[in-house]
Amino acid sequence: MEDDTFQLNHIWSDSQSESTTTRPENVSSAAVPTSINPDTNGATPESACSNDEDVSYMGSHDQGESVVPLRRIHSSQEALINRRDDRTDMDVITGWLYNGPLQRAKYEDFSTIDWIYDSNKLRHSASELRARRSGGNGASRTDRLKVLLDESKPWIVLIAVGFTMGLLATCISVTSQWLIDIKNGHCRTGFYLNRRFCCWNADSICMDWVTWGEHMRVRWAWIDWLLQYFVFIFDAVLFAGASTYLVTEYAPYAAGQGIAEIKTIMSGFMMRKFLGARTLCIKCVGVVLSVASGLSLGKEGTMVHIACCCCNVYTRLFGRLRGNEVRRRELLSAASAAGISVAFGSPIAGVLFSLEQVSYYFTTKTMWRSLFCAASAAVTLKFFNPFRNGKLVPFQVTYDRTWDLFELWFFLLIGTISGVAGTVQNRLALFLMEYRQRSVLKTFARGEVVVVALVTAAISYLSVYLRADTVTLVSNLFTECTVQDDVGLCNSDDRVANALSLLVTSGIRVVLTAVACGLAVPAGMFLPSMATGASIGRAIGMIIQTLYERHPTWRLFGACKPDVPCITPGVYALVGAASMLSSTTRMTVTVVVIMFELTDALIYVLPIMLAVTVSKAVADAISKDGYFESIIHLNSYPFLAMDQEYVLRGTSDELMIRASEMAVISAADETLDTVVALLQRYSYSGFPIVRSASTMALVGYISRADVQMVVKRAQELSMYTGQSPCCFGRNNIRQEQAVDFRPWVDFTPITIYHSTDLNLVAEMFRQLGVRYVLTTHQGVLLGIITKKDIVRTVRMQSRNNFGKPTLSGLFSGCVSRYLPASLASGDEYYLARRELSGSHQQRRQQQQQQQQQQTRLHLQQIRGLGILSPDSQTP
């Protein structure tokens, strides 16, 4: 596959309406039940469905049998009757409104799930389990054992995810560290050993570790330096090229960190193959190669995606879990906690991360499951002990000193600087991502990765703080000064020069991280951001330490004791890392708990909390959205944040798609040919059902996927022709060849009044998880509002910020909403910006007034037909 094959199409197509009502595909061929009344052969479509209300159909292909109304069936066991003959295998299935949940057509890619339907299905399943567990008269020990097995399936999945994540984290950490060290040399005693294990018993100088210059017996120092430089760059390009090849060739969804997409999936969006087995394998291998290449990326953020992939793979083994999207998302929320648990050795922080960042609906049951999964992963990682020192991560540290009150001012300063640096990094990263989507770079993804790896390696080798991998650098920055110091952090003679070097390299790392975030390699930005913040904090701590040593009598240092070290630069690095991570991700409590679990010191929680609070406040003042939310907006994902307050202006009749512009289905006037023509002419994801086109009285709603499924199976049967009538309403079928769509019709769609406030409509979409609402007036269909319409309105009206991310907007908060990726061309972009101009706003107001006038005329026409009462109020 060439470079131009890599193009992640995360754009939510405008042709796919969010009003989709989709359902799984594993429905039997009873999808096309027919009525059995030979006397009505040759009847017109109008006579195929009678007007008997509240009587639905259930029958078989055998002639002479009578129609059985659905209301006589009281159990899901009676609702499924297998009938076989020479023509087809017939399952008589009842509608889920009458007899509980029913499997529907499979959810399409880039569509949203039906939260209400899947939640009802989950409650129905739980009710059946409770009934079986209660032990009726016919319950046996085998039945109770089966019930216990069904109830334990989620826990089995969580245990498997925890164990797998502990094992994968161990393999990824050990392998990536070995590849990082291979760029500098190898071990004499064992080529498979990294430098840490090779020099395990060495005191000061390690004789077993050999550089490539020593291996080739180079005598001149400048040739040895050039050789090491060449090998370092060559390995970096090789590893980065291999990583991007695997991603672009086999699993494009493995690129990046994946948390933004997981947040969208948790809200109900379907992204097939994003959590698949192939993505899991490529992600694990690719993250090792990308981290070893020296790109300013880390492996910690990818652990969340890997954990969710493991959970998704394991849930496929159990039909009860695989068939319900709501339950799967509950387990995915718990699995994401395991990713943070193994990434930072922080199981409690993993639970908080699931609550604060990933989950859309977080229940008490999900919290308990998240804690269980995170603890299982941490115990497994502790058992394997990948670093052979008892630590879950290499940068776990302990401090034996406290802090003084005057240091709070410096902690707040670190928080302020980190807040600005984190926002600049996010803005620059988003600007480069948007530029890639519009420029020719999107067709040269592999070449871009190779060039960036080459430049990064060439720059990083020149500085000891950039050359070191992020794990080692963060560990050194967190650690207090000891006798052995390889990077000069504890050299009192050059302390100021080293502090300035840390500040310069932290600025370079911000640029390198922003450039690397959008590359076609699997990696994240958690640890690089922490390394940048730790460098800033350590530099400030070293400067303050120098001031104290030179001027110990200053009033500022009056609380310091004369014979005890007063300033601990490692604590400043810890505070800086927490502040920088908070400013980029907008996480607060999770970051504080991560740092607390890394240090095991409760005394440092207060300065970390204050620095994180200031950092987030500064970042929010510049730009409201964090890194993950910005990616969601850039890719135009249908995501409504639960923690964001929307201020929308207008009513539903101003936003809805009017009934005159919609494709509707008549309940009793359709034939198979007209339904097929409807599907071919329109690409909508669902169709409202009305009693007739003249009255527009609402009957229900059916999704495109369900219509396609029934039509396909009807066309496979010879007994149906193009003139076979189709029934969509609540009535009895009077003709044998009638195609019955009623089991897949939602007869109780959510409807709103035409003058409903848009803020209330947005809350319905956010809190209920609906995909569409129908606008009606006394049962008459007026229009439809989809989730896509609400998302677009929210992005354009929230704070009146809408535009393209530019370099000029990096230091200002006026541009905080980015252009959706669906507006691909420059002309469409400038047209979108003109919507905020004064002249265009006047034009929109005129259009809204015209639409309101059309609504009044439409209602007046309906009154003339006698559908509405004469005294009904006109909007």
Side-chain angles (χ1 to χ4, degrees):
M1 184 180 295
E2 300 297 329
D3 290 348
D4 56 355
T5 58
F6 178 79
Q7 184 177 5
L8 292 180
N9 183 15
H10 293 328
I11 302 173
W12 192 17
S13 175
D14 287 339
S15 63
Q16 277 191 331
S17 173
E18 189 51 35
S19 59
T20 318
T21 307
T22 51
R23 322 171 187 180
E25 228 168 29
N26 50 352
V27 182
S28 62
S29 55
V32 199
T34 61
S35 65
I36 317 300
N37 193 343
D39 296 333
T40 58
N41 274 337
T44 60
E46 289 79 359
S47 63
C49 300
S50 70
N51 294 324
D52 299 334
E53 295 293 333
D54 299 326
V55 179
S56 298
Y57 165 75
M58 175 177 144
S60 69
H61 284 288
D62 300 333
Q63 296 186 4
E65 295 184 11
S66 60
V67 175
V68 182
L70 292 181
R71 59 183 180 182
R72 297 180 183 176
I73 300 176
H74 302 287
S75 65
S76 59
Q77 289 78 10
E78 294 176 328
L80 191 61
I81 305 174
N82 296 324
R83 302 295 300 269
R84 286 182 172 86
D85 54 24
D86 296 335
R87 291 171 293 184
T88 183
D89 181 7
M90 190 84 175
D91 291 347
V92 181
I93 304 177
T94 61
W96 67 281
L97 291 173
Y98 292 89
N99 299 286
L102 173 68
Q103 293 292 332
R104 298 185 176 182
K106 190 177 182 180
Y107 286 114
E108 296 178 350
D109 201 10
F110 295 103
S111 64
T112 51
I113 67 172
D114 190 344
W115 282 96
I116 297 178
Y117 165 75
D118 282 320
S119 298
N120 289 336
K121 184 178 178 181
L122 180 60
R123 285 191 291 267
H124 182 77
S125 176
S127 177
E128 284 188 349
L129 284 178
R130 285 193 298 267
R132 291 167 57 187
R133 185 178 55 186
S134 61
N137 296 329
S140 62
R141 292 183 178 180
T142 305
D143 294 335
R144 295 180 181 178
L145 184 62
K146 290 181 180 180
V147 171
L148 180 61
L149 180 61
D150 288 339
E151 292 179 342
S152 62
K153 286 178 181 178
W155 302 100
I156 295 174
V157 170
L158 296 179
I159 292 177
V161 170
F163 176 81
T164 305
M165 285 306 301
L167 179 61
L168 291 178
T170 301
C171 297
I172 291 173
S173 299
V174 174
T175 307
S176 61
Q177 190 60 48
W178 179 74
L179 291 178
I180 290 171
D181 293 338
I182 281 295
K183 294 190 298 184
N184 299 316
H186 67 92
C187 185
R188 288 177 178 175
T189 58
F191 189 80
Y192 58 90
L193 295 175
N194 59 32
R195 184 169 185 175
R196 179 185 180 88
F197 291 150
C198 183
C199 304
W200 187 262
N201 296 322
D203 295 331
S204 58
I205 300 176
C206 181
M207 303 301 297
D208 294 331
W209 185 259
V210 181
T211 63
W212 294 114
E214 295 173 350
H215 177 77
M216 300 183 68
R217 299 180 181 179
V218 177
R219 297 181 180 180
W220 294 277
W222 65 275
I223 296 180
D224 178 72
W225 188 89
L226 288 177
L227 178 63
Q228 292 291 124
Y229 190 52
F230 173 76
V231 173
F232 187 87
I233 295 177
F234 176 79
D235 288 345
V237 172
L238 177 64
F239 296 153
S243 178
T244 187
Y245 175 79
L246 292 174
V247 170
T248 56
E249 184 71 18
Y250 299 106
Y253 281 135
Q257 194 160 236
I259 296 180
E261 287 76 13
I262 291 175
K263 287 170 65 71
T264 309
I265 290 174
M266 292 297 183
S267 68
F269 197 56
M270 293 294 298
M271 296 180 66
R272 301 202 175 278
K273 298 183 180 180
F274 186 81
L275 301 177
R278 177 180 293 185
T279 303
L280 171 62
C281 297
I282 299 301
K283 190 90 171 183
C284 293
V285 178
V287 71
V288 172
L289 295 172
S290 60
V291 171
S293 67
L295 292 170
S296 186
L297 296 168
K299 61 181 182 296
E300 285 70 22
T302 60
M303 292 297 178
V304 178
H305 189 188
I306 293 174
C308 291
C309 288
C310 292
C311 181
N312 181 68
V313 171
Y314 287 135
T315 53
R316 293 179 182 176
L317 304 177
F318 305 101
R320 189 177 290 273
L321 303 179
R322 182 178 62 248
N324 191 282
E325 294 296 335
V326 171
R327 177 172 290 185
R328 290 178 66 183
R329 277 155 177 76
E330 290 179 354
L331 296 178
L332 289 175
S333 298
S336 64
I340 296 297
S341 177
V342 298
F344 297 101
S346 308
I348 300 178
V351 179
L352 295 176
F353 174 82
S354 177
L355 170 63
E356 186 177 4
Q357 194 63 235
V358 174
S359 299
Y360 202 72
Y361 299 108
F362 196 86
T363 60
T364 306
K365 177 177 61 176
T366 305
M367 177 177 290
W368 160 231
R369 289 178 174 177
S370 301
L371 181 61
F372 178 79
C373 189
S376 301
V379 169
T380 304
L381 186 63
K382 182 73 173 180
F383 173 78
F384 286 113
N385 193 15
F387 310 107
R388 296 297 184 269
N389 55 5
K391 296 181 179 180
L392 298 181
V393 289
F395 42 86
Q396 277 186 325
V397 293
T398 55
Y399 300 111
D400 54 0
R401 304 173 189 171
T402 184
W403 56 277
D404 293 311
L405 188 61
F406 74 90
E407 294 181 274
L408 284 179
W409 299 106
F410 301 109
F411 294 150
L412 298 179
L413 175 63
I414 293 173
T416 304
I417 297 175
S418 299
V420 175
T423 307
V424 171
Q425 177 178 299
N426 287 352
R427 288 295 187 87
L428 182 58
L430 267 293
F431 170 79
L432 294 175
M433 290 180 188
E434 194 272 341
Y435 179 76
R436 287 188 184 98
Q437 292 182 357
R438 294 179 174 274
S439 67
V440 71
L441 287 177
K442 65 182 179 181
T443 61
F444 298 98
R446 299 178 187 174
E448 182 189 11
V449 171
V450 171
V451 172
V452 172
L454 175 64
V455 174
T456 302
I459 296 175
S460 300
Y461 193 82
L462 304 178
S463 172
V464 64
Y465 300 121
L466 293 175
R467 187 192 318 161
D469 62 284
T470 52
V471 174
T472 303
L473 177 63
V474 171
S475 179
N476 292 333
L477 293 174
F478 284 177
T479 305
E480 294 187 38
C481 288
T482 58
V483 178
Q484 183 179 359
D485 181 24
D486 298 331
V487 294
L489 291 174
C490 299
N491 188 352
S492 58
D493 298 332
D494 298 332
R495 187 176 293 158
V496 177
N498 290 332
L500 294 178
S501 299
L502 284 174
L503 292 176
V504 173
T505 55
S506 63
I508 297 175
R509 191 178 294 277
V510 166
V511 177
L512 294 178
T513 303
V515 172
C517 278
L519 297 178
V521 292
M525 40 72 67
F526 279 176
L527 204 59
S529 300
M530 291 177 62
T532 301
S535 299
I536 296 173
R538 182 86 182 201
I540 294 177
M542 293 168 64
I543 293 174
I544 298 173
Q545 187 180 28
T546 302
L547 290 176
Y548 169 70
E549 292 178 353
R550 294 180 180 180
H551 308 282
T553 58
W554 279 7
R555 186 176 181 181
L556 177 65
F557 306 113
C560 297
K561 298 180 180 180
D563 298 332
V564 179
C566 184
I567 306 299
T568 306
V571 175
Y572 288 75
L574 185 73
V575 173
S579 303
M580 188 69 180
L581 184 59
S582 177
S583 65
T584 53
T585 63
R586 299 299 197 272
M587 295 187 299
T588 53
V589 181
T590 302
V591 175
V592 174
V593 175
I594 286 176
M595 297 304 168
F596 166 68
E597 293 186 273
L598 287 178
T599 59
D600 294 331
L602 187 61
I603 193 173
Y604 295 109
V605 170
L606 180 59
I608 293 175
M609 288 176 59
L610 294 177
V612 165
T613 302
V614 172
S615 176
K616 187 179 185 301
V618 171
D620 287 341
I622 301 175
S623 176
K624 188 65 176 177
D625 295 325
Y627 178 72
F628 308 129
E629 291 77 15
S630 299
I631 292 180
I632 290 174
H633 294 165
L634 182 67
N635 292 325
S636 193
Y637 293 143
F639 181 79
L640 294 173
M642 295 290 289
D643 57 346
Q644 186 174 356
E645 296 182 1
Y646 305 124
V647 181
L648 305 179
R649 295 181 297 273
T651 56
S652 59
D653 57 352
E654 300 174 6
L655 182 63
M656 69 180 183
I657 301 173
R658 303 197 170 272
S660 58
E661 304 172 1
M662 296 166 53
V664 297
I665 295 177
S666 178
D669 299 338
E670 303 289 350
T671 63
L672 196 58
D673 281 343
T674 59
V675 174
V676 172
L678 185 71
L679 294 174
Q680 293 176 351
R681 183 178 180 182
Y682 301 101
S683 59
Y684 303 135
S685 297
F687 303 97
I689 301 172
V690 296
R691 187 170 300 171
S692 64
S694 59
T695 62
M696 296 297 288
L698 181 63
V699 175
Y701 187 90
I702 188 169
S703 71
R704 180 186 187 88
D706 292 330
V707 175
Q708 289 177 332
M709 179 185 65
V710 177
V711 167
K712 179 180 178 181
R713 294 178 178 176
Q715 291 175 342
E716 293 175 354
L717 300 176
S718 59
M719 63 182 299
Y720 296 109
T721 63
Q723 299 303 317
S724 298
C726 301
C727 286
F728 294 87
R730 289 186 182 178
N731 40 40
N732 196 6
I733 299 178
R734 299 301 185 186
Q735 187 176 349
E736 182 180 1
Q737 283 81 17
V739 184
D740 191 7
F741 287 83
R742 291 171 302 172
W744 292 270
V745 174
D746 184 4
F747 290 106
T748 58
I750 294 180
T751 60
I752 59 174
Y753 194 63
H754 57 81
S755 60
T756 305
D757 186 75
L758 282 183
N759 293 284
L760 178 58
V761 178
E763 284 299 313
M764 293 177 64
F765 279 94
R766 184 166 61 173
Q767 300 292 342
L768 299 180
V770 297
R771 297 169 298 172
Y772 66 91
V773 294
L774 300 176
T775 305
T776 61
H777 183 73
Q778 294 191 3
V780 177
L781 178 66
L782 300 181
I784 186 173
I785 300 177
T786 66
K787 188 176 181 180
K788 179 180 63 176
D789 301 326
I790 291 294
V791 171
R792 185 188 299 114
T793 304
V794 166
R795 290 174 182 173
M796 294 187 64
Q797 290 194 12
S798 294
R799 298 183 298 175
N800 289 328
N801 290 329
F802 184 82
K804 175 182 178 182
T806 58
L807 287 175
S808 61
L810 288 177
F811 299 95
S812 64
C814 61
V815 182
S816 59
R817 289 290 183 267
Y818 303 107
L819 178 69
S822 58
L823 299 178
S825 66
D827 294 338
E828 290 175 325
Y829 166 69
Y830 289 110
L831 286 174
R833 292 195 62 179
R834 269 174 36 193
E835 289 186 2
L836 298 181
S837 63
S839 60
H840 198 71
Q841 283 185 352
Q842 295 178 0
R843 189 175 174 183
R844 287 189 61 190
Q845 291 177 359
Q846 294 176 359
Q847 292 178 353
Q848 292 174 0
Q849 293 176 359
Q850 292 177 0
Q851 291 175 353
Q852 292 177 358
Q853 182 67 21
Q854 291 177 0
T855 303
R856 295 189 185 97
L857 294 175
H858 180 60
L859 291 178
Q860 291 174 3
Q861 293 175 358
I862 293 174
R863 278 197 196 86
L865 296 175
I867 303 300
L868 298 180
S869 59
D871 56 347
S872 61
Q873 185 178 1
T874 302

